[in-house]
Amino acid sequence: MKNIVLLNGSSHPSLAQRISESLGVELCSSKLGKFSNQETSVEIKDSVREKHVYIIQSGCGRVNDNLIELLILIQACRMGSAKRITVVTPLFPYSRQSEKSQKKRLPQHQIGSEIMNSLSQTTGEVSNPLPQGTFAQSFMGMSVGEGGYRQWCARAGTLVANLLQAAGADHLIAMDLHDPQYQGFFQIPVDLIYAEPCIIQWIRSEIPNWRQAVVVSPDAGGAKRATSVCNKLNLDFALIHKEDVGSTKESMGLVGEVSGRPVIILDDMIDSGSTIGLASEILKRHGATEIYAIAVHGIFSGPALEIISRSPVTAVACTNTVPQEEFRSKCAKLKTIDIAPMLGEIIRRTFHGESVTQLFVYDELM
């Protein structure tokens, strides 16, 4: 492949290296660091003139530093007369910063204390819906400002989209956006790709009795993702939803039958681990034999690893859009789904002007 440059930021060097190996293209030589006053320093040592540059930077770790580094890398390539600049963000930074999703997010100490208390409860009645505390209400988006005032949140994801375009990006590749609405905020072409083919392959190879499993969506918003996998694997579907238990309270309930069967929880992201912890507890109380959780982005912030370790989950599999090595060393339940070959193929297809959509429809023909 001539006239292509692979440039990696400092957020996920191992993923960039695996993509480089799958393509057979060496990574561009660069020097990334900080000055003594902590300003970001970027130096690209190879020529990018009249070349198609792919910048690989995931929105993980030190997100703010990595975002600024990405913007400077884009500007450096633009000033270096790059013909075209494509930004590859396996995890798009600030993709959760919409008004709706902001209201559901709680401080880490509150999430940790309430979810750990929920997992520690032992009751003899299976029919009791869980949970009914402050966390449950905030988790289901029930928080209201004092005096009925509507709380407004900054939509930082829109700002990030504008910054990437202002820096000089010509094209964006992002995987499983938490809020797909952000795709419409770009004036440049956006290829929104999905980890579904890799997830289906992992289910077939790593879950021994997957043909008897039930795919579970932990909320209504993820039902489309879960049913897509159900249709391709010909599996049953179940949904965890909110239900009224009084005039002012809501709780989580299960729609579907999971008794005596393994279950597979599908979500796009595991951050605090609260969703997986609550969902696994409900499924266990409804008689699920084995509980597998699969997510595209494994962030595991705050008490997430402790929650997963104490939960009834058998295994948790996440793609490597975020570095997973440190997390796996702390929690034996974690598994990794490698998406580097897929990203490499998508880069190859976009470089040669081939269809990307075809990668995600082949399973429907099987």
Side-chain angles (χ1 to χ4, degrees), residues 170-191:
D170 298 306
H171 179 212
L172 175 72
I173 299 175
M175 175 169 283
D176 284 277
L177 285 175
H178 184 73
D179 288 317
Q181 61 185 337
Y182 286 124
Q183 184 178 4
F185 295 145
F186 285 91
Q187 301 299 319
I188 60 176
V190 176
D191 278 320

Side-chain angles (χ1 to χ4, degrees), residues 26-272:
E26 292 186 3
L27 290 172
C28 177
S29 178
S30 62
K31 183 179 180 182
L32 308 175
K34 287 184 176 296
F35 294 109
S36 58
N37 63 351
Q38 297 305 302
E39 291 181 350
T40 299
S41 169
V42 170
E43 180 182 355
I44 301 176
K45 297 185 177 181
D46 296 335
S47 174
V48 297
R49 183 178 296 273
E50 293 301 314
K51 294 182 179 180
H52 190 160
V53 181
Y54 288 85
I55 304 176
I56 304 169
Q57 183 83 309
S58 193
C60 58
R62 301 169 66 95
V63 180
N64 295 329
D65 287 344
N66 293 334
L67 175 59
I68 293 297
E69 182 182 80
L70 173 60
L71 297 174
I72 297 177
L73 282 169
I74 296 171
Q75 181 68 9
C77 292
R78 178 60 62 201
M79 299 302 294
S81 300
K83 183 178 181 179
R84 183 176 171 86
I85 302 172
T86 296
V87 176
V88 182
T89 57
L91 172 58
F92 186 76
Y94 285 84
S95 63
R96 301 178 67 191
Q97 297 277 7
S98 67
E99 179 183 350
K100 182 178 179 180
S101 61
Q102 276 284 78
K103 289 183 178 180
K104 296 182 182 180
R105 301 173 72 178
L106 290 176
Q108 297 295 341
H109 68 276
Q110 185 175 354
I111 292 176
S113 59
E114 297 212 26
I115 193 66
M116 295 303 289
N117 291 337
S118 175
L119 292 175
S120 300
Q121 292 176 354
T122 55
T123 60
E125 299 181 2
V126 178
S127 59
N128 289 340
L130 289 176
Q132 300 179 10
T134 305
F135 168 76
Q137 296 177 5
S138 295
F139 172 73
M140 302 311 294
M142 296 173 56
S143 60
V144 180
E146 295 182 2
Y149 176 74
R150 183 179 180 182
Q151 299 178 354
W152 294 93
C153 301
R155 299 182 179 180
T158 309
L159 174 62
V160 172
N162 294 333
L163 288 173
L164 291 174
Q165 294 173 105
D170 298 306
H171 179 212
L172 175 72
I173 299 175
M175 175 169 283
D176 284 277
L177 285 175
H178 184 73
D179 288 317
Q181 61 185 337
Y182 286 124
Q183 184 178 4
F185 295 145
F186 285 91
Q187 301 299 319
I188 60 176
V190 176
D191 278 320
L192 180 56
I193 61 177
Y194 304 94
E196 184 180 90
C198 297
I199 291 175
I200 290 176
Q201 183 179 0
W202 189 89
I203 291 174
R204 287 172 170 165
S205 62
E206 300 298 329
I207 300 181
N209 50 349
W210 65 269
R211 296 183 186 276
Q212 290 76 43
V214 178
V215 177
V216 179
S217 174
D219 52 48
K224 183 178 179 180
R225 181 186 309 106
T227 54
S228 177
V229 173
C230 287
N231 293 335
K232 291 180 173 61
L233 295 178
N234 195 26
L235 300 178
D236 292 334
F237 171 73
L239 172 69
I240 294 176
H241 75 113
K242 62 179 180 180
E243 56 185 12
D244 295 330
V245 295
S247 58
T248 59
K249 291 184 179 180
E250 291 188 358
S251 62
M252 297 176 68
L254 178 67
V255 176
E257 180 60 44
V258 299
S259 179
R261 301 174 66 180
V263 297
I264 303 172
I265 305 173
L266 283 183
D267 207 351
D268 68 320
M269 182 181 296
I270 299 178
D271 188 357
S272 65

Side-chain angles (χ1 to χ4, degrees), residues 342-355:
M342 171 184 285
L343 289 175
E345 176 62 16
I346 289 170
I347 290 175
R348 188 197 67 80
R349 286 174 177 251
T350 57
F351 179 75
H352 290 293
E354 301 175 8
S355 173

Side-chain angles (χ1 to χ4, degrees), residues 3 156 182 227 275 310 358:
N3 297 324
Y182 286 124
T227 54
T275 302
R310 296 181 59 177
Q358 292 299 318

